[in-house]
Amino acid sequence: MTHLHNDPADFADEALAGFAAAHAARVRPVDGGVIRAHGTPVGQVAVVVGGGSGHYPAFAGLVGRGLAHGSAVGNVFASPSARQVHSVATAAHGGAGVLLMFGNYAGDVLHFGEAAQRLTDDGIPTETFAVTDDVAAAPPEDRRDRRGIAGDLPVFKAAAAAAEQGLPVGEVLATARHADSRTRSFGVAFGGCTLPGADAPLFTVAEGRMAIGLGIHGEPGIGEAPLPTADEAAALLVDTLLAELPDDVPAPHGQRAAVVLNGLGAVTYEELFVVYRTVARLLGEAGVRIVEPEVGELVTSFDMAGVSLTLTWLDDRLAELWAAPADTPAYRKGVLPDAGPPTGSPPAVATPAPADRPRAGEPAAEVSRAAAARIVDALSAVAAVVDEHVEELGRIDAVAGDGDHGIGMQRGAHAAASAARKAHTAGAG
């Protein structure tokens, strides 16, 4: 359970502000998220990642030299808006175009796609790519329908390292596609996660059972099974991933793999190491050479009790990119030259005028003002009803989605009612 919060509707914004304050040497806040504190080198493609809050260190924690150039940060388990993505990407742009990267979820696909179109219209060459590593989300023949989970990390890193080498945006995109085609993940959960302010988790797992293949927001998996030992869990994870190899990997024996054993929020590091002990042994017995493994919390889900295993099958090019140095708040590898203190100010970002600012014009007629007052009352009533049922809206959504519908509707309804009140008070009809 998330114990420390103020107004739950402000949780994501307040967490982002605290994160930026804690890591001012590496990131700088901008409207909609964060960018590198030192900016994007001139002429380098900017890799901008993003998604909902609640998955730290994904996504803002991966911003820094050697990895992402910026991150758009949405509400809890909710995609950032197209406006947020556009704002962050504009601030991160170094003159060579932008690659927007995210997990394959409907809201992210919609909003990042819309932002890409706006950026292109602004004269900024922009491409998008959705990570699809979760083998539980769809069969191999429908791989592009799969969710993005902890495989975000190796795919993001490959693309960002390619950008650091000065490659054009088309080649950085091709690198992301290649890394994604060789990345597979699978996870299990033993307990659900609880959103800020909620008094119950999004889902529950029966005592002595585990859910197989759940998404990182608690989306339904492919079944349940008795709670395993650590060795049994490791065997399930390894066997599942070895059963589906990329098309250009004929057999695991003799292959190299980047390995990520990821904790989803409530599994201790000691427990992860117990599981990894067997993961490493089983992969070794299969003839797989493990390259620079990562064991820890890389893509979390608040306090979900669960683990996932990711394998990225490396060729020479991907091995080079996986080993490239990085220096971010949450992920550091190798050694980079000292960048010195952050200098300058973030680039000016064009943001739309606040929605609650009435347009200048002739004073509204009394009949129009009366109608506006009724609209204010209606929007206030909507907000009140959403407040009353916010947890139920989230519960319904969690049956098949990510459980953010209640908090998303609550935030939107209150924003609409507030904007209407301010506009009406200022004289709008």
Side-chain angles (χ1 to χ4, degrees):
M1 172 171 280
T2 306
H3 297 282
L4 295 174
H5 56 78
N6 298 307
D7 184 340
D10 295 331
F11 184 87
D13 291 339
E14 292 179 349
L16 182 64
F19 163 76
H23 296 287
R26 291 183 172 86
V27 300
R28 175 184 296 150
V30 296
D31 184 26
V34 294
I35 61 172
R36 293 186 188 182
H38 295 84
T40 298
V42 176
Q44 187 174 113
V45 172
V47 175
V48 175
V49 303
S53 300
H55 303 302
Y56 190 84
F59 297 88
L62 303 179
V63 173
R65 292 187 300 155
L67 234 161
H69 299 76
S71 174
V73 181
N75 200 2
V76 176
F77 288 2
S79 169
S81 68
R83 185 198 61 77
Q84 288 176 294
V85 178
H86 178 272
S87 169
V88 174
T90 302
H93 184 225
V98 173
L99 175 61
L100 303 176
M101 301 187 70
F102 44 91
N104 190 31
Y105 299 90
D108 293 304
V109 172
L110 176 68
H111 296 149
F112 280 85
E114 182 181 340
Q117 184 59 58
R118 293 185 188 179
L119 291 162
T120 300
D121 292 344
D122 292 343
I124 299 175
T126 304
E127 300 285 355
T128 64
F129 187 78
V131 179
T132 58
D133 58 304
D134 184 6
V135 302
E141 60 270 22
D142 296 322
R143 194 174 62 81
R144 287 307 305 167
D145 293 334
R146 289 176 170 176
R147 302 175 290 225
I149 52 175
D152 284 354
L153 173 64
V155 179
F156 290 173
K157 188 174 187 306
E164 291 279 355
Q165 294 176 345
L167 297 182
V169 66
E171 293 186 36
V172 176
L173 173 61
T175 300
R177 287 175 175 154
H178 180 50
D180 186 68
S181 73
R182 281 176 158 250
T183 299
R184 304 287 187 275
S185 300
F186 184 68
V188 297
F190 321 112
C193 53
T194 305
L195 300 185
D199 57 9
L202 283 177
F203 67 94
T204 58
V205 180
E207 188 73 24
R209 306 282 290 178
M210 73 171 175
I212 300 174
L214 258 74
I216 57 173
H217 311 97
E219 301 97 332
I222 57 177
E224 287 190 2
L227 188 67
T229 64
D231 285 353
E232 290 168 344
L236 173 63
L237 296 172
V238 171
D239 291 347
T240 300
L241 294 186
L242 292 186
E244 187 195 311
L245 301 176
D247 293 339
D248 53 354
V249 177
H253 187 81
Q255 299 291 329
R256 293 169 289 175
V259 178
V260 178
L261 183 65
N262 175 61
L264 286 163
V267 175
T268 67
Y269 273 68
E270 285 85 354
E271 291 172 284
L272 291 174
F273 290 134
V274 171
V275 174
Y276 184 74
R277 156 187 160 274
T278 303
V279 167
R281 175 178 62 80
L282 294 174
L283 289 174
E285 290 173 356
V288 178
R289 181 152 62 94
I290 297 172
V291 178
E292 300 187 19
E294 297 286 348
V295 179
E297 294 181 338
L298 285 311
V299 180
T300 62
S301 185
F302 272 120
D303 58 345
M304 185 187 292
V307 298
S308 65
L309 180 66
T310 298
L311 300 181
T312 297
W313 298 95
L314 303 174
D315 54 19
D316 289 343
R317 176 61 173 152
L318 291 177
E320 173 193 7
L321 299 172
W322 178 242
D327 182 20
T328 79
Y331 185 86
R332 299 170 199 171
K333 174 180 283 192
V335 179
L336 285 165
D338 183 15
T343 57
S345 301
V349 180
T351 56
D356 56 4
R357 183 179 300 160
R359 292 184 177 88
E362 295 296 321
E366 283 304 310
V367 65
S368 179
R369 293 269 298 147
R374 297 298 296 274
I375 293 172
V376 171
D377 290 342
L379 289 172
S380 298
V382 168
V385 172
V386 171
D387 284 344
E388 183 180 356
H389 300 286
V390 62
E391 292 189 13
E392 177 64 6
L393 289 167
R395 187 197 67 78
I396 294 170
D397 185 24
V399 172
D402 54 14
D404 71 329
H405 190 60
I407 194 169
M409 288 292 290
Q410 185 179 51
R411 190 171 189 177
H414 279 273
S418 174
R421 282 193 297 271
K422 289 178 181 178
H424 185 250
T425 300

